[in-house]
């Protein structure tokens, strides 16, 4: 696997290789990873932003992954890589230890468990056995152990030891053409989810005025949504970390009901962050239209649910003024993923977050990298049913009352 970190593809995301090159490399692995079908969903909606579904029927988590981009190959690579990273996370081969926290902490560096997100009804018992997996702290470069339940995605059984104290989600799981690239995308996701959670607790945030957006790719995507006769809202959700984050919502206009779209994006380059949010909003809408995902609640497909969700999104757009300027969002341009990693760890340190841990889930037989990032101190997604607000969210709630 290449250790080069220079970016070669920068159209709708930043990657070491083009989507077509990535697909050529991973296609021989798809069968043994249980990927049976890649279907183009784009034509099921009237927006036209490319979206695909990738089926993996024997998954130990969800059996359908989604992908999006500005071209069909980009969407295919996005969806396939999501399926591949989940397959890896269901079969963790990184070094593991079954131990009590009180024992492992005496002879090895361990994640700051006090700053990890917790779940409703969960309890961390430092004197009970649990499974730990070895990661690497990007700041200290030392090995650091993290709870296995925050890394694996084999949801067919409870965590070893029976303890459920931390979220079991895919938050911070990412793949790439090498470890630098995969690590960046894993950290982007954690920063994005933290920022979105904090933004949700703010009162009446203003929207981005579309006329202030100066990137042609973003303007083209916005034009496609508007040409479809849909309402669109864009918010700058960037947190104190200072890495650009956006939320985009799509809904039918007044008097009409249908499926909504919600998308979030994070990237040092603000245009890429916005583009990721726009394409994800279109993807989310197509996910509902197609009924592709097996983890969606059937209640979300009732007529009443569509009416209520569409009304909620319309009201959210209508009740916030479009007074924010896109150019005020911070942006950084780098030529390599190593530079991005240095930027990310530096920005996290400015808000007091010193541990940035990555668990390498890659396998030597595949020319692809898969990483799970764990960053104690960042907030978990607020819309998880068992979410408990951490210190950062509590401070925001105190500020906005």
């Amino acid at each position: 696997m290449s250790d080069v970190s220079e970016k070669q593809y920068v159209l709708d995301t930043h990657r070491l290789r083009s989507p077509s090159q990535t697909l050529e490399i991973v296609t021989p692995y798809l069968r043994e990873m249980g990927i049976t079908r890649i279907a183009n969903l784009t034509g099921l909606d009237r927006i036209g932003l490319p979206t695909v579904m990738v089926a993996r029927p024997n998954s130990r988590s969800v059996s359908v992954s989604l992908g999006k981009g500005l071209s069909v190959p980009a969407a295919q690579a996005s969806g396939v890589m999501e399926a591949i990273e989940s397959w890896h996370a269901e079969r963790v081969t990184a070094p593991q230890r079954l131990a009590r926290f009180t024992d492992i902490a005496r002879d090895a560096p361990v994640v700051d468990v006090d700053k990890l997100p917790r779940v409703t009804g969960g309890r961390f018992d430092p004197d009970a056995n649990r499974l730990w997996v070895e990661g690497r702290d990007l700041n200290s470069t030392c090995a650091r152990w993290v709870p296995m339940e925050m890394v694996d995605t084999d949801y067919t059984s409870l965590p070893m030891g029976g303890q459920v104290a931390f979220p079991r989600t895919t938050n911070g799981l990412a793949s790439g053409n090498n470890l630098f690239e995969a690590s960046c995308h894993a950290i982007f996701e954690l920063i994005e989810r933290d920022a979105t959670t904090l933004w949700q607790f703010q009162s009446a945030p203003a929207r981005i005025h579309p006329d202030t957006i100066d990137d042609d790719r973003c303007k083209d995507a916005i034009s496609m949504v508007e040409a479809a006769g849909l309402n669109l809202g864009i918010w700058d959700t960037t947190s104190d970390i200072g890495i650009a984050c956006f939320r985009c919502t799509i809904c039918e206009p007044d008097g009409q009901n249908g499926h909504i779209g919600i998308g979030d994006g994070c990237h040092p380059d603000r245009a890429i962050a916005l583009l990721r949010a726009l394409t994800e909003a279109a993807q989310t809408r197509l996910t509902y239209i197609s009924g592709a995902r097996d983890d969606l609640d059937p209640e979300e497909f009732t007529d009443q649910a569509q009416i209520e969700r569409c009304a909620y999104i319309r009201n959210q757009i209508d009740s916030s003024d479009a007074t924010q300027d896109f150019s005020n969002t911070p942006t950084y341009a780098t030529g390599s993923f190593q530079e991005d990693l240095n930027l990310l760890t530096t920005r996290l340190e400015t808000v007091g977050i010193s541990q940035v841990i990555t668990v390498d889930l890659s396998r030597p037989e595949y020319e692809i990298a898969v990483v799970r990032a764990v960053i104690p101190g960042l907030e978990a997604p607020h819309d998880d049913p068992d979410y408990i607000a951490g210190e950062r969210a509590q401070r925001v709630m105190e500020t906005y009352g």
Side-chain angles (χ1 to χ4, degrees), residues 128-147:
N129 268 334
R130 70 183 321 109
L131 199 59
W132 303 82
V133 61
E134 186 181 48
R136 185 155 297 278
D137 192 328
L138 296 185
N139 284 321
S140 65
T141 70
C142 72
R144 197 175 292 278
W145 295 82
V146 300

Side-chain angles (χ1 to χ4, degrees), residues 189-203:
E189 183 167 88
L190 289 173
I191 292 175
E192 171 201 300
R193 302 283 171 79
D194 170 84
T196 304
T197 292
L198 299 182
W199 175 79
Q200 288 289 339
F201 294 118
Q202 298 177 26
S203 57

Side-chain angles (χ1 to χ4, degrees), residues 275-336:
L275 196 58
R276 290 166 69 88
L278 287 163
T279 53
E280 185 173 273
Q283 172 189 285
T284 303
R285 186 174 145 92
L286 266 167
T287 302
Y288 282 107
I289 290 171
S290 65
R293 282 286 287 244
D294 49 321
D295 59 341
L296 295 177
D297 188 337
E299 289 295 318
E300 296 181 76
F301 291 87
T302 63
D303 290 341
Q304 185 60 34
Q306 289 187 43
I307 291 170
E308 291 175 357
R309 287 159 65 87
C310 214
Y312 174 79
I313 294 298
R314 273 199 301 266
N315 180 67
Q316 188 180 48
I317 295 172
D318 293 342
S319 63
S320 60
D321 296 326
T323 58
Q324 295 298 309
D325 192 322
F326 178 68
S327 66
N328 290 335
T329 304
T331 191
Y332 301 90
T334 76
S336 74

